Amino acid sequence: MSILPFPSFLDDIKEKGLKKAVFEGIDEVMERLTAGMNIQDVREALRGEAPTRKPNPRLTPHADGFWLHMRPSYFHKDMTGLYPTFRLGWLSAYFVFFETITGMLLMLWYTPSPDAAYGNMLAILSNVPLGQLMRDLHRLGAEGMVLIVWLHMLRTFLTGSYKKPRQFTWFTGVVLLICTMFLSFSGYLLPWDQLALWAVTIGASMIEATPPPIVGQTLNLLLRGGPDIGANGLLRFYLLHVLAVPAVLFVFFGVHYYKVVIHGFSLPPQKENIGEDTAKRVPLDKRVYYIPDILTSEIMWIAVTTFVLVVLCIWFFHAPLENHADSQVTPLGTTAPWYFLWIQGALKLGDKVFWGIVFPNLVIVLLMVYPYVDTQISRRYAHRRVAITLCALFVSIMTIFSYMGLAEYGVNTSADVEVLHELVMEPAHSHLGIIRPVPFDELVPGIYTTEQIRLEREVHPDDFATDFADYGTRIQENGDAARMLDFLSRVQHLSLPGISLRAVPAASEHLHNVLDRFYEMMEHERLELRNGTGYIIITAPQPNLIRVDVVVLWEEVLLRSGHLALDANGDSIPRFWEVNEDGSFVLDEAGRNIIVDEPIPLLDASGNPVLDENGVARTLTVPVERINSQFIYLHRNAEYFHRPGGN
Ligand code: HEM
């Protein structure tokens, strides 16, 4: 007899023997865990055999268990192939959980403060075990989720699954779509790097455009927690990302899923009579039970997806991390994340309020109400030509707008900025400024010029030294050198004691390559950078630290309606400063040089053109000269010198 007041496992052993008692014990545990299936039932299911026990034990987990009560116990045979669902709803659901799990792991190592966030990211990438993998998975998963949810919407539209009685399912789906996009977007800011700050600044300033101004300003303040994104903004985006948006998403996920189960998965349109909905009336011979067929196929799908994500993140994809956020430095060509490019593209069409606010909201409202407006009952493709055409139009417009949203489209960055950028670009951008990997010892102080490359290519090597020296004298005389040094000392605070123009030393092969590339770029842009010359000025303010100034000098050219004005030879036409006859500048009331678009002939007292020593008519003007420069500091121990792929 048991010493306990109820029968114990020991009693079982005494009564049935050890083996049988242990076996029955395990069986019972299994039955409890699965809410109804014992080991024999599980084995049969996994082997694909019919159940031997009656009534069918594979239905009890659906009736008695928590997790499976929300899954249908059987599906229609026609719904088990890839078509019509393409498993996109299931994959969307998978991503919700995948993102939650990877996100929670990242949360352990993250503090939403501008002081800490970027450092946290570096720690995640370097110190946290599997930190980089988790971050990459979370980022790739977020983008994958946006894509899959859009595709799921597309498929439910094409199969007409949004029609009665599933209009509300579709409606809740649109809410899920918005949540998905905002989840991805709000996460963008959290690394607190340049990409984050500027992509989110673009997004937030769109919201600021909401009319009337008081609403726009209030929304902007609410979102950013101040006129600009700072500590408050980061905290707000963090809370949106981990709390508010997921909360709405989980509620609507529940409602969406509940509706899907209540109505059943809609059959392929051609398998039903027009106007009928037989999803819930599955004849016995058409039933495929959830356990084991659907369950194993679902597990297979998520296993394959996880595998693909992991492989991608290990070998091909790393979530970007640029330099620390800096509200003073606007990177070139910042765009919103790709899934918001369509709005950025639309904005290029004109009015900020219409294209940035009214249009996206209109798209959302149209999507939400569409099932209630489209009352045509047939789900057959042939009967839905208008709807399918509208859908194709919608997808095309979104694609075109997204293309227009790219930085390359419709935004002209001036050539000088592009050339400078190419040379000194920050290491965390997709490219590395070509000057950064030049070995430290090659960066000998001096002023180097692209003119050297031109002479090397155009004159005989024997004449190079003389011609190069002539060039040096010329720029001293015509004031280019003085103008450049004046600009550098006033604007860039660079003093140049004892530094002079020189040819690149023979040992500085990489520096020579950079100068060569610099020359090529200037040549490529020669229409916009008329008579342009590039300079690389290297100074050494401290031992082991050098400063590299990249300077571009050129003559400004005429633009007509945003395009370069060209003469009959296809050369760009310079703009001019107007000068008085005595050579002084003509100034406007504010004391600025008056710029004229075409040169004015200089006439003598009798009204005849004044000719110069070459017999060419002199004009009253001189071309407008422009100068732009950027500088970087490089330390001997900087990582770029060891970076693979540098030239
Ligand atoms: C996080 C986002 C979403 C999740 C997790 C989700 C999940 C699901 C799942 C699991 C199904 C079952 C059928 C299937 O696998 O295709 C389903 C069906 C459906 N979903 Fe979604 N969905 C999401 C977003 C959307 C969106 C954006 C829409 C459309 C605007 C939408 C509209 C529908 C409709 C109409 C059905 C019924 C399909 C049928 O009965 O054949 N869902 N959803």
Side-chain angles (χ1 to χ4, degrees), residues 300-317:
M300 187 274 287
W301 274 99
I302 58 177
V304 168
T305 313
T306 314
F307 178 73
V308 170
L309 290 172
V310 170
V311 168
L312 285 178
C313 287
I314 287 184
W315 279 291
F316 304 105
F317 172 84

Side-chain angles (χ1 to χ4, degrees), residues 89-90 93 152-153 155-156 161 166 173-174 253 256-257 260 266:
W90 170 242
H152 169 60
M153 178 168 90
R155 102 81 186 151
T156 52
S161 307
R166 296 184 181 78
V174 179
F253 179 84
H256 190 70
Y257 210 83
V260 170
S266 59

Side-chain angles (χ1 to χ4, degrees), residues 69-72 168-169 172 176 250-265 280:
H69 93 276
M70 37 191 148
R71 305 305 323 267
F168 189 64
T169 317
T172 53
L176 288 176
F250 277 109
V251 170
F252 276 87
F253 179 84
V255 180
H256 190 70
Y257 210 83
Y258 176 74
K259 285 288 165 189
V260 170
V261 175
I262 287 281
H263 297 306
F265 293 11
K280 291 294 265 187

